[in-house]
PDB file of all heavy atoms in Angstrom:
ATOM      1  N   ALA A   2      23.425 201.213 -92.712  1.00 91.00           N
ATOM      2  CA  ALA A   2      22.882 200.817 -91.383  1.00 91.00           C
ATOM      3  C   ALA A   2      23.129 201.842 -90.300  1.00 91.00           C
ATOM      4  O   ALA A   2      22.292 202.233 -89.526  1.00 91.00           O
ATOM      5  CB  ALA A   2      23.490 199.489 -90.978  1.00 91.00           C
ATOM      6  N   VAL A   3      24.384 202.389 -90.347  1.00 86.00           N
ATOM      7  CA  VAL A   3      24.790 203.261 -89.239  1.00 86.00           C
ATOM      8  C   VAL A   3      24.366 204.731 -89.517  1.00 86.00           C
ATOM      9  O   VAL A   3      23.723 205.323 -88.676  1.00 86.00           O
ATOM     10  CB  VAL A   3      26.336 203.219 -89.045  1.00 86.00           C
ATOM     11  CG1 VAL A   3      26.775 204.254 -88.063  1.00 86.00           C
ATOM     12  CG2 VAL A   3      26.722 201.805 -88.577  1.00 86.00           C
ATOM     13  N   PHE A   4      24.702 205.276 -90.630  1.00 85.00           N
ATOM     14  CA  PHE A   4      24.480 206.658 -90.866  1.00 85.00           C
ATOM     15  C   PHE A   4      23.105 206.968 -91.444  1.00 85.00           C
ATOM     16  O   PHE A   4      22.572 208.084 -91.217  1.00 85.00           O
ATOM     17  CB  PHE A   4      25.536 207.206 -91.888  1.00 85.00           C
ATOM     18  CG  PHE A   4      26.948 207.068 -91.366  1.00 85.00           C
ATOM     19  CD1 PHE A   4      27.921 206.362 -92.116  1.00 85.00           C
ATOM     20  CD2 PHE A   4      27.296 207.547 -90.100  1.00 85.00           C
ATOM     21  CE1 PHE A   4      29.222 206.225 -91.655  1.00 85.00           C
ATOM     22  CE2 PHE A   4      28.620 207.403 -89.615  1.00 85.00           C
ATOM     23  CZ  PHE A   4      29.581 206.702 -90.376  1.00 85.00           C
ATOM     24  N   ASP A   5      22.467 206.043 -92.099  1.00 89.00           N
ATOM     25  CA  ASP A   5      21.090 206.265 -92.637  1.00 89.00           C
ATOM     26  C   ASP A   5      20.080 205.584 -91.780  1.00 89.00           C
ATOM     27  O   ASP A   5      18.887 205.644 -92.093  1.00 89.00           O
ATOM     28  CB  ASP A   5      21.020 205.809 -94.087  1.00 89.00           C
ATOM     29  CG  ASP A   5      21.883 206.649 -95.001  1.00 89.00           C
ATOM     30  OD1 ASP A   5      22.325 207.782 -94.594  1.00 89.00           O
ATOM     31  OD2 ASP A   5      22.196 206.195 -96.124  1.00 89.00           O
ATOM     32  N   SER A   6      20.465 204.868 -90.762  1.00 88.00           N
ATOM     33  CA  SER A   6      19.583 204.138 -89.824  1.00 88.00           C
ATOM     34  C   SER A   6      18.573 203.184 -90.508  1.00 88.00           C
ATOM     35  O   SER A   6      17.428 203.065 -90.175  1.00 88.00           O
ATOM     36  CB  SER A   6      18.822 205.110 -88.984  1.00 88.00           C
ATOM     37  OG  SER A   6      19.667 205.884 -88.240  1.00 88.00           O
ATOM     38  N   MET A   7      19.078 202.566 -91.637  1.00 93.00           N
ATOM     39  CA  MET A   7      18.240 201.613 -92.324  1.00 93.00           C
ATOM     40  C   MET A   7      18.273 200.245 -91.633  1.00 93.00           C
ATOM     41  O   MET A   7      19.321 199.861 -91.126  1.00 93.00           O
ATOM     42  CB  MET A   7      18.631 201.497 -93.775  1.00 93.00           C
ATOM     43  CG  MET A   7      18.466 202.759 -94.606  1.00 93.00           C
ATOM     44  SD  MET A   7      19.060 202.614 -96.291  1.00 93.00           S
ATOM     45  CE  MET A   7      17.773 201.528 -97.005  1.00 93.00           C
ATOM     46  N   THR A   8      17.107 199.534 -91.701  1.00 94.00           N
ATOM     47  CA  THR A   8      17.150 198.190 -91.137  1.00 94.00           C
ATOM     48  C   THR A   8      17.825 197.193 -92.158  1.00 94.00           C
ATOM     49  O   THR A   8      17.994 197.571 -93.330  1.00 94.00           O
ATOM     50  CB  THR A   8      15.668 197.678 -90.974  1.00 94.00           C
ATOM     51  OG1 THR A   8      15.027 197.584 -92.295  1.00 94.00           O
ATOM     52  CG2 THR A   8      14.924 198.600 -90.085  1.00 94.00           C
ATOM     53  N   TYR A   9      18.131 195.994 -91.635  1.00 95.00           N
ATOM     54  CA  TYR A   9      18.711 195.031 -92.571  1.00 95.00           C
ATOM     55  C   TYR A   9      17.878 194.709 -93.781  1.00 95.00           C
ATOM     56  O   TYR A   9      18.297 194.611 -94.858  1.00 95.00           O
ATOM     57  CB  TYR A   9      19.012 193.706 -91.765  1.00 95.00           C
ATOM     58  CG  TYR A   9      20.106 193.853 -90.741  1.00 95.00           C
ATOM     59  CD1 TYR A   9      20.282 192.801 -89.854  1.00 95.00           C
ATOM     60  CD2 TYR A   9      20.862 195.010 -90.586  1.00 95.00           C
ATOM     61  CE1 TYR A   9      21.326 192.875 -88.876  1.00 95.00           C
ATOM     62  CE2 TYR A   9      21.886 195.068 -89.583  1.00 95.00           C
ATOM     63  CZ  TYR A   9      22.085 194.009 -88.754  1.00 95.00           C
ATOM     64  OH  TYR A   9      23.068 194.086 -87.818  1.00 95.00           O
ATOM     65  N   GLN A  10      16.573 194.661 -93.510  1.00 96.00           N
ATOM     66  CA  GLN A  10      15.594 194.353 -94.547  1.00 96.00           C
ATOM     67  C   GLN A  10      15.568 195.466 -95.651  1.00 96.00           C
ATOM     68  O   GLN A  10      15.594 195.255 -96.802  1.00 96.00           O
ATOM     69  CB  GLN A  10      14.173 194.122 -94.009  1.00 96.00           C
ATOM     70  CG  GLN A  10      13.174 193.694 -95.060  1.00 96.00           C
ATOM     71  CD  GLN A  10      13.512 192.360 -95.707  1.00 96.00           C
ATOM     72  OE1 GLN A  10      13.906 191.434 -94.955  1.00 96.00           O
ATOM     73  NE2 GLN A  10      13.425 192.268 -96.969  1.00 96.00           N
ATOM     74  N   GLN A  11      15.612 196.738 -95.148  1.00 97.00           N
ATOM     75  CA  GLN A  11      15.607 197.839 -96.048  1.00 97.00           C
ATOM     76  C   GLN A  11      16.902 197.931 -96.939  1.00 97.00           C
ATOM     77  O   GLN A  11      16.864 198.135 -98.118  1.00 97.00           O
ATOM     78  CB  GLN A  11      15.470 199.193 -95.340  1.00 97.00           C
ATOM     79  CG  GLN A  11      14.176 199.391 -94.688  1.00 97.00           C
ATOM     80  CD  GLN A  11      14.112 200.581 -93.756  1.00 97.00           C
ATOM     81  OE1 GLN A  11      15.083 200.861 -93.057  1.00 97.00           O
ATOM     82  NE2 GLN A  11      12.974 201.239 -93.667  1.00 97.00           N
ATOM     83  N   ILE A  12      17.992 197.579 -96.300  1.00 97.00           N
ATOM     84  CA  ILE A  12      19.318 197.520 -97.010  1.00 97.00           C
ATOM     85  C   ILE A  12      19.253 196.484 -98.027  1.00 97.00           C
ATOM     86  O   ILE A  12      19.693 196.653 -99.209  1.00 97.00           O
ATOM     87  CB  ILE A  12      20.499 197.341 -96.050  1.00 97.00           C
ATOM     88  CG1 ILE A  12      20.588 198.562 -95.093  1.00 97.00           C
ATOM     89  CG2 ILE A  12      21.766 197.123 -96.766  1.00 97.00           C
ATOM     90  CD1 ILE A  12      21.511 198.314 -93.910  1.00 97.00           C
ATOM     91  N   ALA A  13      18.796 195.269 -97.598  1.00 98.00           N
ATOM     92  CA  ALA A  13      18.694 194.178 -98.586  1.00 98.00           C
ATOM     93  C   ALA A  13      17.863 194.491 -99.827  1.00 98.00           C
ATOM     94  O   ALA A  13      18.213 194.190-100.972  1.00 98.00           O
ATOM     95  CB  ALA A  13      18.134 192.941 -97.875  1.00 98.00           C
ATOM     96  N   GLU A  14      16.725 195.096 -99.592  1.00 98.00           N
ATOM     97  CA  GLU A  14      15.830 195.479-100.713  1.00 98.00           C
ATOM     98  C   GLU A  14      16.506 196.553-101.574  1.00 98.00           C
ATOM     99  O   GLU A  14      16.454 196.509-102.793  1.00 98.00           O
ATOM    100  CB  GLU A  14      14.509 195.997-100.142  1.00 98.00           C
ATOM    101  CG  GLU A  14      13.682 194.913 -99.537  1.00 98.00           C
ATOM    102  CD  GLU A  14      12.425 195.409 -98.824  1.00 98.00           C
ATOM    103  OE1 GLU A  14      12.139 196.605 -98.812  1.00 98.00           O
ATOM    104  OE2 GLU A  14      11.770 194.581 -98.232  1.00 98.00           O
ATOM    105  N   LYS A  15      17.133 197.564-100.960  1.00 97.00           N
ATOM    106  CA  LYS A  15      17.787 198.660-101.732  1.00 97.00           C
ATOM    107  C   LYS A  15      18.892 198.128-102.560  1.00 97.00           C
ATOM    108  O   LYS A  15      19.060 198.525-103.693  1.00 97.00           O
ATOM    109  CB  LYS A  15      18.328 199.707-100.744  1.00 97.00           C
ATOM    110  CG  LYS A  15      19.042 200.863-101.481  1.00 97.00           C
ATOM    111  CD  LYS A  15      19.480 201.953-100.531  1.00 97.00           C
ATOM    112  CE  LYS A  15      20.201 202.960-101.351  1.00 97.00           C
ATOM    113  NZ  LYS A  15      19.593 204.256-101.255  1.00 97.00           N
ATOM    114  N   LEU A  16      19.720 197.179-102.071  1.00 97.00           N
ATOM    115  CA  LEU A  16      20.893 196.637-102.786  1.00 97.00           C
ATOM    116  C   LEU A  16      20.585 195.385-103.487  1.00 97.00           C
ATOM    117  O   LEU A  16      21.486 194.804-104.145  1.00 97.00           O
ATOM    118  CB  LEU A  16      22.068 196.491-101.796  1.00 97.00           C
ATOM    119  CG  LEU A  16      22.495 197.745-101.070  1.00 97.00           C
ATOM    120  CD1 LEU A  16      23.717 197.355-100.113  1.00 97.00           C
ATOM    121  CD2 LEU A  16      22.928 198.837-102.038  1.00 97.00           C
ATOM    122  N   ASN A  17      19.333 194.887-103.461  1.00 98.00           N
ATOM    123  CA  ASN A  17      18.993 193.657-104.121  1.00 98.00           C
ATOM    124  C   ASN A  17      19.796 192.444-103.689  1.00 98.00           C
ATOM    125  O   ASN A  17      20.323 191.702-104.577  1.00 98.00           O
ATOM    126  CB  ASN A  17      18.967 193.837-105.652  1.00 98.00           C
ATOM    127  CG  ASN A  17      18.146 192.782-106.291  1.00 98.00           C
ATOM    128  OD1 ASN A  17      17.218 192.272-105.743  1.00 98.00           O
ATOM    129  ND2 ASN A  17      18.513 192.456-107.543  1.00 98.00           N
ATOM    130  N   ILE A  18      20.041 192.307-102.405  1.00 98.00           N
ATOM    131  CA  ILE A  18      20.786 191.249-101.788  1.00 98.00           C
ATOM    132  C   ILE A  18      19.903 190.594-100.664  1.00 98.00           C
ATOM    133  O   ILE A  18      18.946 191.271-100.247  1.00 98.00           O
ATOM    134  CB  ILE A  18      22.163 191.655-101.263  1.00 98.00           C
ATOM    135  CG1 ILE A  18      22.012 192.805-100.250  1.00 98.00           C
ATOM    136  CG2 ILE A  18      23.044 192.134-102.419  1.00 98.00           C
ATOM    137  CD1 ILE A  18      23.347 193.232 -99.627  1.00 98.00           C
ATOM    138  N   SER A  19      20.392 189.529-100.160  1.00 98.00           N
ATOM    139  CA  SER A  19      19.614 188.850 -99.079  1.00 98.00           C
ATOM    140  C   SER A  19      19.882 189.549 -97.780  1.00 98.00           C
ATOM    141  O   SER A  19      20.943 190.129 -97.512  1.00 98.00           O
ATOM    142  CB  SER A  19      19.912 187.370 -98.988  1.00 98.00           C
ATOM    143  OG  SER A  19      21.156 187.168 -98.378  1.00 98.00           O
ATOM    144  N   LYS A  20      18.898 189.365 -96.881  1.00 97.00           N
ATOM    145  CA  LYS A  20      19.027 189.931 -95.527  1.00 97.00           C
ATOM    146  C   LYS A  20      20.253 189.242 -94.808  1.00 97.00           C
ATOM    147  O   LYS A  20      20.962 189.893 -94.011  1.00 97.00           O
ATOM    148  CB  LYS A  20      17.749 189.734 -94.712  1.00 97.00           C
ATOM    149  CG  LYS A  20      17.707 190.351 -93.396  1.00 97.00           C
ATOM    150  CD  LYS A  20      16.371 190.200 -92.774  1.00 97.00           C
ATOM    151  CE  LYS A  20      16.337 190.723 -91.361  1.00 97.00           C
ATOM    152  NZ  LYS A  20      15.014 190.442 -90.741  1.00 97.00           N
ATOM    153  N   ASN A  21      20.438 187.945 -95.052  1.00 97.00           N
ATOM    154  CA  ASN A  21      21.578 187.256 -94.472  1.00 97.00           C
ATOM    155  C   ASN A  21      22.882 187.814 -94.968  1.00 97.00           C
ATOM    156  O   ASN A  21      23.875 187.901 -94.144  1.00 97.00           O
ATOM    157  CB  ASN A  21      21.485 185.793 -94.721  1.00 97.00           C
ATOM    158  CG  ASN A  21      20.462 185.041 -93.884  1.00 97.00           C
ATOM    159  OD1 ASN A  21      20.126 185.605 -92.818  1.00 97.00           O
ATOM    160  ND2 ASN A  21      19.959 183.972 -94.387  1.00 97.00           N
ATOM    161  N   THR A  22      22.959 188.205 -96.199  1.00 97.00           N
ATOM    162  CA  THR A  22      24.204 188.840 -96.713  1.00 97.00           C
ATOM    163  C   THR A  22      24.426 190.115 -96.016  1.00 97.00           C
ATOM    164  O   THR A  22      25.613 190.465 -95.624  1.00 97.00           O
ATOM    165  CB  THR A  22      24.101 189.081 -98.207  1.00 97.00           C
ATOM    166  OG1 THR A  22      23.966 187.873 -98.880  1.00 97.00           O
ATOM    167  CG2 THR A  22      25.286 189.804 -98.754  1.00 97.00           C
ATOM    168  N   VAL A  23      23.455 190.915 -95.729  1.00 97.00           N
ATOM    169  CA  VAL A  23      23.600 192.205 -94.987  1.00 97.00           C
ATOM    170  C   VAL A  23      24.135 191.882 -93.594  1.00 97.00           C
ATOM    171  O   VAL A  23      25.073 192.503 -93.154  1.00 97.00           O
ATOM    172  CB  VAL A  23      22.213 192.921 -94.908  1.00 97.00           C
ATOM    173  CG1 VAL A  23      22.325 194.120 -93.917  1.00 97.00           C
ATOM    174  CG2 VAL A  23      21.764 193.386 -96.281  1.00 97.00           C
ATOM    175  N   LYS A  24      23.548 190.925 -92.879  1.00 96.00           N
ATOM    176  CA  LYS A  24      24.021 190.618 -91.551  1.00 96.00           C
ATOM    177  C   LYS A  24      25.456 190.127 -91.564  1.00 96.00           C
ATOM    178  O   LYS A  24      26.227 190.560 -90.679  1.00 96.00           O
ATOM    179  CB  LYS A  24      23.145 189.436 -91.015  1.00 96.00           C
ATOM    180  CG  LYS A  24      21.782 189.826 -90.611  1.00 96.00           C
ATOM    181  CD  LYS A  24      20.996 188.606 -90.095  1.00 96.00           C
ATOM    182  CE  LYS A  24      19.569 188.839 -89.823  1.00 96.00           C
ATOM    183  NZ  LYS A  24      18.889 187.704 -89.271  1.00 96.00           N
ATOM    184  N   THR A  25      25.846 189.268 -92.500  1.00 97.00           N
ATOM    185  CA  THR A  25      27.170 188.781 -92.622  1.00 97.00           C
ATOM    186  C   THR A  25      28.148 189.887 -92.877  1.00 97.00           C
ATOM    187  O   THR A  25      29.239 189.974 -92.235  1.00 97.00           O
ATOM    188  CB  THR A  25      27.316 187.702 -93.743  1.00 97.00           C
ATOM    189  OG1 THR A  25      26.376 186.637 -93.400  1.00 97.00           O
ATOM    190  CG2 THR A  25      28.703 187.187 -93.878  1.00 97.00           C
ATOM    191  N   GLN A  26      27.874 190.766 -93.797  1.00 96.00           N
ATOM    192  CA  GLN A  26      28.726 191.860 -94.192  1.00 96.00           C
ATOM    193  C   GLN A  26      28.946 192.841 -93.042  1.00 96.00           C
ATOM    194  O   GLN A  26      30.003 193.383 -92.878  1.00 96.00           O
ATOM    195  CB  GLN A  26      28.286 192.576 -95.500  1.00 96.00           C
ATOM    196  CG  GLN A  26      28.338 191.713 -96.671  1.00 96.00           C
ATOM    197  CD  GLN A  26      29.730 191.213 -96.992  1.00 96.00           C
ATOM    198  OE1 GLN A  26      30.717 191.965 -96.889  1.00 96.00           O
ATOM    199  NE2 GLN A  26      29.898 189.899 -97.283  1.00 96.00           N
ATOM    200  N   ILE A  27      27.832 193.100 -92.296  1.00 93.00           N
ATOM    201  CA  ILE A  27      27.986 194.047 -91.149  1.00 93.00           C
ATOM    202  C   ILE A  27      28.858 193.421 -90.115  1.00 93.00           C
ATOM    203  O   ILE A  27      29.709 194.057 -89.474  1.00 93.00           O
ATOM    204  CB  ILE A  27      26.585 194.464 -90.630  1.00 93.00           C
ATOM    205  CG1 ILE A  27      25.973 195.419 -91.633  1.00 93.00           C
ATOM    206  CG2 ILE A  27      26.694 195.091 -89.247  1.00 93.00           C
ATOM    207  CD1 ILE A  27      24.519 195.895 -91.297  1.00 93.00           C
ATOM    208  N   GLY A  28      28.677 192.132 -89.843  1.00 93.00           N
ATOM    209  CA  GLY A  28      29.496 191.408 -88.899  1.00 93.00           C
ATOM    210  C   GLY A  28      31.012 191.485 -89.253  1.00 93.00           C
ATOM    211  O   GLY A  28      31.839 191.763 -88.403  1.00 93.00           O
ATOM    212  N   ARG A  29      31.292 191.287 -90.513  1.00 95.00           N
ATOM    213  CA  ARG A  29      32.635 191.319 -91.007  1.00 95.00           C
ATOM    214  C   ARG A  29      33.201 192.697 -90.912  1.00 95.00           C
ATOM    215  O   ARG A  29      34.416 192.951 -90.562  1.00 95.00           O
ATOM    216  CB  ARG A  29      32.748 190.794 -92.407  1.00 95.00           C
ATOM    217  CG  ARG A  29      32.493 189.294 -92.464  1.00 95.00           C
ATOM    218  CD  ARG A  29      32.491 188.761 -93.885  1.00 95.00           C
ATOM    219  NE  ARG A  29      32.258 187.335 -93.838  1.00 95.00           N
ATOM    220  CZ  ARG A  29      32.081 186.564 -94.937  1.00 95.00           C
ATOM    221  NH1 ARG A  29      32.091 187.142 -96.125  1.00 95.00           N
ATOM    222  NH2 ARG A  29      31.852 185.317 -94.784  1.00 95.00           N
ATOM    223  N   ALA A  30      32.325 193.692 -91.232  1.00 92.00           N
ATOM    224  CA  ALA A  30      32.823 195.135 -91.155  1.00 92.00           C
ATOM    225  C   ALA A  30      33.216 195.466 -89.699  1.00 92.00           C
ATOM    226  O   ALA A  30      34.198 196.100 -89.401  1.00 92.00           O
ATOM    227  CB  ALA A  30      31.721 196.069 -91.688  1.00 92.00           C
ATOM    228  N   TYR A  31      32.342 195.082 -88.749  1.00 87.00           N
ATOM    229  CA  TYR A  31      32.608 195.353 -87.338  1.00 87.00           C
ATOM    230  C   TYR A  31      33.898 194.717 -86.910  1.00 87.00           C
ATOM    231  O   TYR A  31      34.693 195.277 -86.121  1.00 87.00           O
ATOM    232  CB  TYR A  31      31.453 194.873 -86.461  1.00 87.00           C
ATOM    233  CG  TYR A  31      30.316 195.890 -86.380  1.00 87.00           C
ATOM    234  CD1 TYR A  31      29.046 195.395 -86.445  1.00 87.00           C
ATOM    235  CD2 TYR A  31      30.507 197.188 -86.293  1.00 87.00           C
ATOM    236  CE1 TYR A  31      27.926 196.257 -86.405  1.00 87.00           C
ATOM    237  CE2 TYR A  31      29.406 198.080 -86.224  1.00 87.00           C
ATOM    238  CZ  TYR A  31      28.157 197.606 -86.287  1.00 87.00           C
ATOM    239  OH  TYR A  31      27.121 198.452 -86.270  1.00 87.00           O
ATOM    240  N   ARG A  32      34.132 193.500 -87.384  1.00 90.00           N
ATOM    241  CA  ARG A  32      35.373 192.756 -87.000  1.00 90.00           C
ATOM    242  C   ARG A  32      36.601 193.583 -87.469  1.00 90.00           C
ATOM    243  O   ARG A  32      37.595 193.718 -86.750  1.00 90.00           O
ATOM    244  CB  ARG A  32      35.417 191.365 -87.656  1.00 90.00           C
ATOM    245  CG  ARG A  32      36.436 190.478 -87.063  1.00 90.00           C
ATOM    246  CD  ARG A  32      36.341 189.029 -87.496  1.00 90.00           C
ATOM    247  NE  ARG A  32      35.045 188.794 -88.139  1.00 90.00           N
ATOM    248  CZ  ARG A  32      34.875 187.956 -89.171  1.00 90.00           C
ATOM    249  NH1 ARG A  32      35.844 187.352 -89.633  1.00 90.00           N
ATOM    250  NH2 ARG A  32      33.691 187.846 -89.706  1.00 90.00           N
ATOM    251  N   ILE A  33      36.576 194.143 -88.724  1.00 89.00           N
ATOM    252  CA  ILE A  33      37.731 194.843 -89.235  1.00 89.00           C
ATOM    253  C   ILE A  33      37.870 196.161 -88.480  1.00 89.00           C
ATOM    254  O   ILE A  33      38.976 196.578 -88.123  1.00 89.00           O
ATOM    255  CB  ILE A  33      37.495 195.086 -90.741  1.00 89.00           C
ATOM    256  CG1 ILE A  33      37.709 193.807 -91.493  1.00 89.00           C
ATOM    257  CG2 ILE A  33      38.498 196.160 -91.269  1.00 89.00           C
ATOM    258  CD1 ILE A  33      37.302 193.896 -92.971  1.00 89.00           C
ATOM    259  N   LEU A  34      36.719 196.805 -88.204  1.00 86.00           N
ATOM    260  CA  LEU A  34      36.826 198.097 -87.523  1.00 86.00           C
ATOM    261  C   LEU A  34      37.330 197.832 -86.103  1.00 86.00           C
ATOM    262  O   LEU A  34      38.126 198.697 -85.576  1.00 86.00           O
ATOM    263  CB  LEU A  34      35.445 198.803 -87.405  1.00 86.00           C
ATOM    264  CG  LEU A  34      34.876 199.328 -88.731  1.00 86.00           C
ATOM    265  CD1 LEU A  34      33.540 199.929 -88.540  1.00 86.00           C
ATOM    266  CD2 LEU A  34      35.846 200.350 -89.329  1.00 86.00           C
ATOM    267  N   LYS A  35      36.972 196.826 -85.431  1.00 84.00           N
ATOM    268  CA  LYS A  35      37.425 196.465 -84.091  1.00 84.00           C
ATOM    269  C   LYS A  35      38.921 196.283 -84.110  1.00 84.00           C
ATOM    270  O   LYS A  35      39.610 196.741 -83.112  1.00 84.00           O
ATOM    271  CB  LYS A  35      36.764 195.203 -83.547  1.00 84.00           C
ATOM    272  CG  LYS A  35      37.008 194.918 -82.145  1.00 84.00           C
ATOM    273  CD  LYS A  35      36.259 193.701 -81.693  1.00 84.00           C
ATOM    274  CE  LYS A  35      36.543 193.417 -80.235  1.00 84.00           C
ATOM    275  NZ  LYS A  35      35.757 192.298 -79.750  1.00 84.00           N
ATOM    276  N   GLU A  36      39.511 195.721 -85.138  1.00 85.00           N
ATOM    277  CA  GLU A  36      40.935 195.508 -85.292  1.00 85.00           C
ATOM    278  C   GLU A  36      41.712 196.862 -85.514  1.00 85.00           C
ATOM    279  O   GLU A  36      42.779 197.050 -85.056  1.00 85.00           O
ATOM    280  CB  GLU A  36      41.318 194.555 -86.389  1.00 85.00           C
ATOM    281  CG  GLU A  36      40.828 193.186 -86.163  1.00 85.00           C
ATOM    282  CD  GLU A  36      40.997 192.286 -87.412  1.00 85.00           C
ATOM    283  OE1 GLU A  36      41.404 192.735 -88.439  1.00 85.00           O
ATOM    284  OE2 GLU A  36      40.646 191.069 -87.249  1.00 85.00           O
TER     285      GLU A  36
END
């Protein structure tokens, strides 16, 4: 998302996961980075 500027949909398709999983994982990653 950050370094390759891919959309959530593109990431979901590339990794064969749902768009909601992408959103959830990015939110969790930001929470950890914020800490």
Side-chain angles (χ1 to χ4, degrees):
V3 174
F4 301 125
D5 295 340
S6 299
M7 293 179 72
T8 66
Y9 292 172
Q10 186 62 43
Q11 291 170 327
I12 296 168
E14 290 171 3
K15 179 177 177 119
L16 300 179
N17 199 29
I18 58 177
S19 75
K20 186 175 174 182
N21 283 336
T22 298
V23 173
K24 289 180 185 180
T25 299
Q26 292 302 315
I27 287 178
R29 289 177 181 171
Y31 280 138
R32 192 170 350 142
I33 290 171
L34 292 177
K35 188 175 180 180
E36 293 170 1

